[in-house]
């Protein structure tokens, strides 16, 4: 092996999973320096992420409570958020890590991935995580303390121009009586390169009552993070839907329209949810009532044109499904049924291809997103 050129050897190693490379760092000093080299990390990021077998993995975020019917390692007061890597083709799940929060029924939001990095948001903290490296970077506390009644909406993305991972936080009041007591809605931005928060120049328009809705599906598209917002004009009982997006490049907020036929909310039992579909911004529309089983998918063909929304498909499902969890490949969708199972549904054949259920514990799927590995560290990026 001493006769193998360095570039050829690096090309071999960059095709391996992170777990193997972490072990190989201990072989010798030259291997350690190679695997830690920033150029190799970038090479591995591009080469390994294009591996089809790897891209079939899904990151499952579950919320667990003790099941009375089965003895577990959990104490009665424990509520655990867990991360699993699930391979769609092999139908095998791998437990990655637990994030326990004792005595609290609090759920975890996860955003990403961006180059193998995820953003985890819990009521008490926000952190950047490289799951494969088992690295956590807890974000510093806010220098501007929000009002106690405030609501926080989180976004996460990457600025390739500055090689900077950013977390955007929209702080707004969540209690009508406190509207006059707190600041107008503020936009705070965290930069991983300097490990600090700062106040962005933009604010959410305060002229009307705006309700910002978070999505359980990834909405980071084309360098922008997206939220669905409902505008309530004083004296008007009608809600008007728009899209609020934040650019990770220039840190500017702007609004985007929805399909003209869906701008006005006419039925409170219909759910709108933004998502990323094959690299394009999309909108999922489905009924809140479980006895009605269907969902429509709209896709924005031209990102900069509000009139380019097209209904991609409309699907009617058999009974028993609860909600869509996201999009997969080749016309497949991730759905959660009423029994808590995760289902991979093929809309072209109308077949259920996979079922995934954890027995012995009461588990609820809060999110299902792509699993991505990288050697990119979230520690000491400054």
């Amino acid at each position: 092996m001493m006769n193998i050129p360095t570039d050829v050897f690096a090309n071999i190693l960059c095709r391996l999973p992170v777990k193997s490379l972490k072990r190989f760092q201990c072989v010798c000093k030259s291997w350690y320096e190679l695997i830690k080299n920033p150029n190799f990390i970038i090479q591995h990021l591009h080469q390994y992420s294009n591996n089809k077998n790897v891209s079939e993995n899904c990151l499952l975020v579950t919320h667990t409570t003790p099941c009375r019917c089965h003895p577990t390692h959990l104490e009665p007061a424990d509520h655990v958020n867990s991360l699993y890597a699930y391979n769609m083709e092999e139908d095998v799940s791998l437990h990655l890590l637990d994030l326990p929060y004792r005595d609290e029924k609090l759920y975890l939001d996860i955003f990403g991935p961006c180059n193998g990095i995820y953003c985890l948001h819990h009521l008490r903290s926000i952190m950047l995580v490289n799951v494969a490296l088992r690295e956590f970077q807890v974000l510093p506390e806010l220098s501007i303390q929000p009002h106690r009644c405030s609501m926080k909406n989180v976004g996460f993305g990457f600025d390739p121009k500055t090689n900077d991972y950013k977390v955007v936080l929209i702080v707004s009041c969540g209690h009508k009586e406190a509207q006059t007591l707190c600041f107008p809605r503020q936009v705070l931005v965290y930069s991983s390169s300097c490990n600090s928060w700062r106040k962005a120049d933009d604010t959410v328009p305060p002229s009307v009552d705006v309700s910002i809705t978070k999505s359980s599906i990834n909405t980071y598209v084309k360098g922008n993070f997206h939220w669905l917002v409902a505008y309530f004009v004083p004296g008007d009982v009608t809600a008007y839907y728009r899209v609020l997006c934040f650019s990770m490049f220039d840190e500017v907020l702007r609004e985007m329209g929805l399909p003209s036929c869906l701008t006005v909310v006419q039925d409170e039992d219909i759910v709108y949810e933004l998502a990323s579909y094959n690299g394009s911004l999309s909108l999922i529309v489905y009924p809140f009532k479980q006895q009605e089983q269907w969902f429509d998918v709209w896709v924005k063909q031209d990102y900069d044109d509000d009139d380019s929304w097209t209904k991609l498909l409309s699907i009617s499902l058999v009974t028993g499904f609860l909600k869509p969890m996201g999009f997969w490949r080749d016309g497949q969708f991730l759905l959660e049924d009423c029994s808590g199972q995760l289902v991979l549904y093929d809309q072209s054949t109308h077949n259920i291809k996979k079922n995934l259920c954890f027995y012995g514990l009461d588990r609820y799927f809060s999110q299902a997103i792509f699993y991505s590995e990288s050697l990119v560290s979230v520690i000491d990026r400054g």
Side-chain angles (χ1 to χ4, degrees):
M1 296 186 64
M2 298 297 294
N3 297 325
I4 300 178
T6 303
D7 57 340
V8 175
F9 186 62
N11 192 30
I12 296 173
L13 288 183
C14 73
R15 302 169 189 272
L16 300 179
V18 171
K19 184 177 180 180
S20 298
L21 294 176
K22 291 291 289 182
R23 294 202 309 265
F24 292 164
Q25 285 182 179
C26 304
V27 172
C28 61
K29 184 177 180 181
S30 61
W31 284 29
Y32 177 86
E33 293 176 347
L34 172 63
I35 296 172
K36 284 289 188 178
N37 188 288
N39 293 328
F40 177 81
I41 293 175
I42 296 175
Q43 183 182 4
H44 175 267
L45 179 64
H46 291 96
Q47 183 67 50
Y48 188 68
S49 61
N50 291 329
N51 187 324
K52 184 179 184 300
N53 294 328
V54 175
S55 64
E56 293 296 332
N57 288 336
C58 178
L59 181 67
L60 305 178
V61 185
T62 67
H63 181 73
T64 305
T65 58
C67 179
R68 296 179 179 179
C69 302
H70 301 275
T72 72
H73 66 283
L74 297 176
E75 297 180 4
D78 283 352
H79 300 271
V80 179
N81 292 286
S82 302
L83 302 181
Y84 287 83
Y86 175 64
N87 187 283
M88 294 292 183
E89 295 299 319
E90 299 178 3
D91 194 17
V92 176
S93 61
L94 173 65
H95 176 261
L96 298 177
L97 53 91
D98 288 335
L99 298 168
Y101 299 97
R102 289 180 176 271
D103 303 320
E104 298 180 20
K105 294 184 179 180
L106 299 176
Y107 291 84
L108 181 76
D109 292 322
I110 185 166
F111 305 89
C114 290
N115 298 335
I117 306 299
Y118 297 86
C119 176
L120 275 61
H121 175 223
H122 184 267
L123 181 63
R124 295 182 301 179
S125 64
I126 304 176
M127 64 181 70
L128 297 183
V129 180
N130 184 318
V131 179
L133 292 178
R134 303 296 196 272
E135 286 187 356
F136 295 80
Q137 177 67 43
V138 179
L139 273 58
E141 294 185 0
L142 299 175
S143 57
I144 305 173
Q145 290 301 321
H147 189 272
R148 59 183 178 85
C149 297
S150 62
M151 302 287 290
K152 302 181 184 70
N153 292 89
V154 179
F156 174 60
F158 176 68
D159 184 354
K161 293 182 179 179
T162 58
N163 192 31
D164 200 2
Y165 297 88
K166 296 179 180 179
V167 179
V168 56
L169 188 65
I170 298 180
V171 182
S172 56
C173 183
H175 196 283
K176 291 185 177 180
E177 295 180 356
Q179 287 284 359
T180 58
L181 302 178
C182 65
F183 297 102
R185 292 180 177 88
Q186 301 176 70
V187 181
L188 306 176
V189 180
Y190 167 84
S191 169
S192 66
S193 61
C194 57
N195 191 32
S196 64
W197 291 93
R198 65 179 180 275
K199 185 177 178 180
D201 294 333
D202 279 2
T203 58
V204 181
S207 57
V208 293
D209 184 11
V210 180
S211 176
I212 303 176
T213 305
K214 77 176 185 66
S215 176
S216 61
I217 307 175
N218 181 33
T219 63
Y220 178 65
V221 178
K222 299 185 183 301
N224 293 267
F225 194 91
H226 304 81
W227 300 269
L228 188 67
V229 296
Y231 289 84
F232 301 90
V233 180
D236 190 346
V237 296
T238 305
Y240 301 89
Y241 272 169
R242 298 278 290 174
V243 176
L244 188 66
C245 60
F246 181 84
S247 171
M248 296 295 168
F249 303 101
D250 51 22
E251 300 183 2
V252 172
L253 274 173
R254 67 187 182 96
E255 295 183 18
M256 303 169 63
L258 288 175
S260 56
C261 61
L262 300 176
T263 300
V264 180
V265 182
Q266 298 177 338
D267 189 346
E268 294 182 355
D269 292 327
I270 301 299
V271 180
Y272 292 4
E273 189 157 17
L274 294 174
S276 173
Y277 180 80
N278 290 338
S280 298
L281 184 66
S282 66
L283 176 71
I284 307 174
V285 183
Y286 62 97
F288 180 74
K289 295 180 179 179
Q290 297 183 13
Q291 60 266 29
E292 302 177 19
Q293 304 295 331
W294 59 266
F295 65 91
D296 296 337
V297 177
W298 294 75
V299 176
K300 207 169 193 296
Q301 304 290 353
D302 185 347
Y303 185 78
D304 296 318
D305 184 4
D306 280 354
D307 297 325
S308 65
W309 286 98
T310 303
K311 183 185 284 190
L312 181 66
L313 49 89
S314 183
I315 298 177
S316 296
L317 302 174
V318 296
T319 59
F321 291 98
L322 182 61
K323 64 177 181 178
M325 299 292 289
F327 301 106
W328 206 243
R329 295 177 174 83
D330 303 323
Q332 300 175 40
F333 301 87
L334 290 170
L335 305 170
E336 183 182 7
D337 67 13
C338 297
S339 64
Q341 289 185 326
L342 186 69
V343 173
L344 186 63
Y345 176 81
D346 192 327
Q347 61 89 17
S348 61
T349 61
H350 305 289
N351 290 329
I352 296 175
K353 300 188 67 174
K354 298 289 183 183
N355 278 328
L356 179 64
C357 185
F358 294 91
Y359 297 98
L361 293 175
D362 290 335
R363 291 188 183 272
Y364 302 91
F365 292 102
S366 58
Q367 287 177 268
I369 55 182
F370 286 104
Y371 175 64
S372 176
E373 288 190 357
S374 78
L375 293 167
V376 178
S377 176
V378 297
I379 302 175
D380 298 330
R381 289 189 52 81

